[in-house]
Amino acid sequence: MTVTFGELIDGAQVHMEIADLHARHDVDATVSAGVFNTARSLTATLARCARDFARADEVARPIREASHLLARWEPNHAAASHPLPTHLSAAATAWGAAGDILATHFSADRTATRSEWTTVITSQHVRDRLVREVAGHALALSDILDRTALARAADVRFASGLLSSPVVVAASALDGSTALREIPLNRPGPVQPLPHQPETPDELRTGITADTDALRALCHLDTELGQREWQRTALAASIITHIGTKLLTGLTRRAYELNPDRNHALGKALQRGTNGIDGMNAMWKGVRQAWEGCLPAKAATRSLRQQHLDQVVVRLGRLLDTDPLWIPARRNAVPIKTPDVIAPNMRDMVPALRSVLRVFEALTIIAEHDRRDVTRAMRAEQLPEDLVQAYGWLTSSRVRSSWALSEALFHAADPDQRPELWHEVDLLEMRRDPASHSCQTLREREGTRLWLEWLSTRDAVSESRLDLTTTSNRATVRIPRTLRHSA
């Protein structure tokens, strides 16, 4: 599992708290000089994050000036072993690594994006959260400087005043999105070997999440994919969406078994989600069929993308099949699970729904990138026109299907599960490229986000019979027309 921005900042926070404890004791002149030297490094990294990634120059400026003032103090090697400068240095290192994580999602000059996470990083809510974190650490450092033996020295006094200036104090009160914590290092995760023992639905879901995140990261690497890679991707995607359709069909049946009311909101959301992934399956099958006969037979070399796709096929298949060690081979064909085995109750639908949603989102990103690359290659490699047309179908907006799957998640989940699910769905929404959708879709999406956020916090029992045509009139947010279910 790759490290995230939040984990590094948590580490920096722990070191600052320990440093604060040591600063409550006498900090003599020798240790003070060591504190100022490490504080210079910490303030430099804080200013960098505020300037380069939060674009908060007004906050970065006083912190950077404080760093310049602290740089006038020569390091005192006699203080190197003291816990106070040691922990401040560790906090600076953690912040430096956190800034490096953010930098991996941009080009060196910050003018080009290198991953879908740039959409998250550049969101104003995420920037606000980053500024808040920077300001909080700056204020904590100012308090430590004030308790050193040399606190009255002009440079130190001015530096402390800059770190606790009104603009920094105001920034520390910002709220912002906790999505900042989830930003990972921009590097596709390694392909983990499939276990030789059965896994629980949650363990299968965790593996699917890791593989789909890796597939999305691979789409943004500057690597050229050839025709054979596109062909094999279409084959894997058609298998994955076929399994996903079967899973959702079983869950839909189970929803009506648990609650036979045909107006049940969960069943309706599942039906729309099933239609969406079934439509995606038809599109990928069309692409796969268009590739038939285009390339001569050749021994397969499993690229990193294909290995992750294979893992998704196997893990998603194991959520569906009765064989806990199922693999996609004809000789291993076994009956699929009955709906009551897949989900004894509504809460048990959640792992499968989360996995299908992740898979659907990942295949949408892959489709967009492969369509673009195939279109570019059409002239140079003289690809058949019907192949290009088949990829053209993949451009159809699939956002509404993701909304349907997200809505089904909240209806199936117990109230105590919904806050975590909302965080996951909200982050998936933020990672999407807004430029890939029309203005109308974006307007509907904002309304849907409000609706799902309300739904994620409501206290209704998940087993209740819910008719959105009546509850929507009592909701405090406007519900888009696409979510007002029709028979």
Side-chain angles (χ1 to χ4, degrees):
M1 180 177 290
T2 186
V3 67
T4 65
F5 185 92
E7 291 169 340
L8 290 171
I9 297 307
D10 285 347
Q13 181 65 39
V14 169
H15 286 295
M16 290 298 292
E17 290 172 356
I18 297 174
D20 179 74
L21 291 174
H22 287 286
R24 296 178 185 179
H25 306 290
D26 291 336
V27 183
D28 59 29
T30 300
V31 174
S32 295
V35 168
F36 303 152
N37 184 254
T38 52
R40 174 203 57 78
S41 177
L42 176 58
T43 49
T45 57
L46 292 174
R48 172 205 177 197
C49 286
R51 180 193 65 229
D52 292 352
F53 305 110
R55 298 183 184 176
D57 288 339
E58 71 284 358
V59 176
R61 190 176 301 110
I63 298 175
R64 186 169 59 250
E65 291 174 3
S67 183
H68 293 159
L69 289 171
L70 294 169
R72 298 178 183 179
W73 291 82
E74 292 293 331
N76 192 317
H77 299 293
S81 60
H82 192 278
L84 180 50
T86 297
H87 284 286
L88 288 179
S89 178
T93 300
W95 265 103
D100 290 342
I101 279 183
L102 299 182
T104 63
H105 297 277
F106 299 87
S107 61
D109 58 2
R110 305 283 191 276
T111 59
T113 64
R114 296 179 58 195
S115 87
E116 61 187 16
W117 285 95
T118 56
T119 306
V120 178
I121 298 171
T122 56
S123 163
Q124 188 58 54
H125 294 300
V126 171
R127 288 177 181 169
D128 287 347
R129 186 73 177 201
L130 176 55
V131 174
R132 169 183 165 175
E133 295 287 354
V134 167
H137 281 75
L139 290 173
L141 180 59
S142 173
D143 187 52
I144 289 174
L145 294 179
D146 288 342
R147 284 180 275 162
T148 61
L150 301 175
R152 296 191 177 185
D155 290 342
V156 180
R157 189 171 69 254
F158 291 154
S160 177
L162 288 166
L163 293 174
S164 59
S165 59
V167 68
V168 177
V169 173
S172 69
L174 293 172
D175 189 6
S177 172
T178 58
L180 172 71
R181 297 185 50 80
E182 308 300 324
I183 299 171
L185 181 68
N186 185 21
R187 182 184 64 185
V191 182
Q192 300 295 336
L194 285 171
H196 297 294
Q197 64 277 351
E199 291 184 299
T200 66
D202 280 333
E203 288 171 336
L204 291 170
R205 182 190 62 80
T206 299
I208 290 172
T209 297
D211 286 309
T212 51
D213 282 345
L215 286 166
R216 296 173 74 153
L218 286 169
C219 284
H220 291 82
L221 295 182
D222 295 328
T223 56
E224 291 293 332
L225 300 178
Q227 296 185 26
R228 203 167 294 277
E229 187 76 7
W230 295 325
Q231 179 192 41
R232 290 170 182 161
T233 296
L235 173 61
S238 64
I239 296 172
I240 290 169
T241 50
H242 176 69
I243 296 172
T245 301
K246 284 190 172 183
L247 257 176
L248 290 182
T249 300
L251 292 178
T252 305
R253 287 178 53 195
R254 185 56 178 161
Y256 288 125
E257 289 174 358
L258 291 169
N259 187 344
D261 182 356
R262 303 303 291 185
N263 290 323
H264 186 27
L266 173 60
K268 289 186 173 183
L270 284 169
Q271 285 179 332
R272 296 198 313 278
T274 303
N275 292 340
I277 199 166
D278 188 46
M280 179 179 270
N281 173 250
M283 294 176 187
W284 278 113
K285 283 173 65 177
V287 173
R288 186 192 71 191
Q289 291 166 0
W291 276 111
E292 291 179 359
C294 292
L295 299 174
K298 183 180 178 180
T301 55
R302 297 176 72 238
S303 66
L304 197 56
R305 177 195 267 202
Q306 295 309 314
Q307 292 179 60
H308 283 296
L309 284 170
D310 289 347
Q311 296 274 19
V312 173
V313 168
V314 171
R315 286 194 165 95
L316 200 63
R318 290 181 181 181
L319 283 173
L320 177 67
D321 280 76
T322 54
D323 182 359
L325 298 179
W326 175 88
I327 58 173
R330 188 179 300 275
R331 64 179 180 276
N332 291 323
V334 294
I336 64 173
K337 296 173 183 174
T338 57
D340 61 308
V341 173
I342 297 174
N345 55 56
M346 288 188 180
R347 184 187 178 102
D348 294 324
M349 296 182 181
V350 171
L353 284 171
R354 293 172 84 174
S355 294
V356 174
L357 176 60
R358 289 274 186 171
V359 166
F360 190 92
E361 291 277 349
L363 291 182
T364 298
I365 299 298
I366 291 173
E368 292 173 356
H369 282 263
D370 282 11
R371 178 195 58 79
R372 179 200 63 196
D373 293 342
V374 168
T375 302
R376 282 180 187 167
M378 179 179 65
R379 300 183 185 89
E381 303 181 33
Q382 297 182 338
L383 297 177
E385 184 64 29
D386 62 338
L387 183 60
V388 179
Q389 290 177 349
Y391 274 97
W393 286 105
L394 290 173
T395 63
S396 300
S397 175
R398 315 307 303 168
V399 176
R400 292 182 183 86
S401 298
S402 288
W403 291 341
L405 292 171
S406 300
E407 187 183 346
L409 262 177
F410 295 126
H411 284 305
D414 288 343
D416 64 316
Q417 292 178 291
R418 290 174 183 158
E420 178 187 355
L421 294 176
W422 167 246
H423 178 70
E424 182 175 338
V425 169
D426 187 46
L427 190 56
L428 286 173
E429 288 281 322
M430 293 179 69
R431 288 165 65 183
R432 289 205 196 107
D433 180 9
S436 64
H437 308 301
S438 66
C439 292
Q440 179 182 357
T441 302
L442 289 174
R443 287 194 297 269
E444 292 175 346
R445 175 171 146 191
E446 181 58 27
T448 303
R449 282 168 57 84
L450 293 172
W451 159 244
L452 292 179
E453 184 175 16
W454 174 81
L455 184 62
S456 71
T457 57
R458 66 190 299 274
D459 295 327
V461 179
S462 61
E463 301 287 343
S464 65
R465 299 184 179 186
L466 178 63
D467 185 355
L468 292 186
T469 59
T470 58
T471 59
S472 63
N473 294 328
R474 298 193 297 269
T476 58
V477 298
R478 183 182 66 83
I479 302 173
R481 181 172 297 176
T482 53
L483 286 182
R484 296 172 187 171
H485 308 313
S486 58

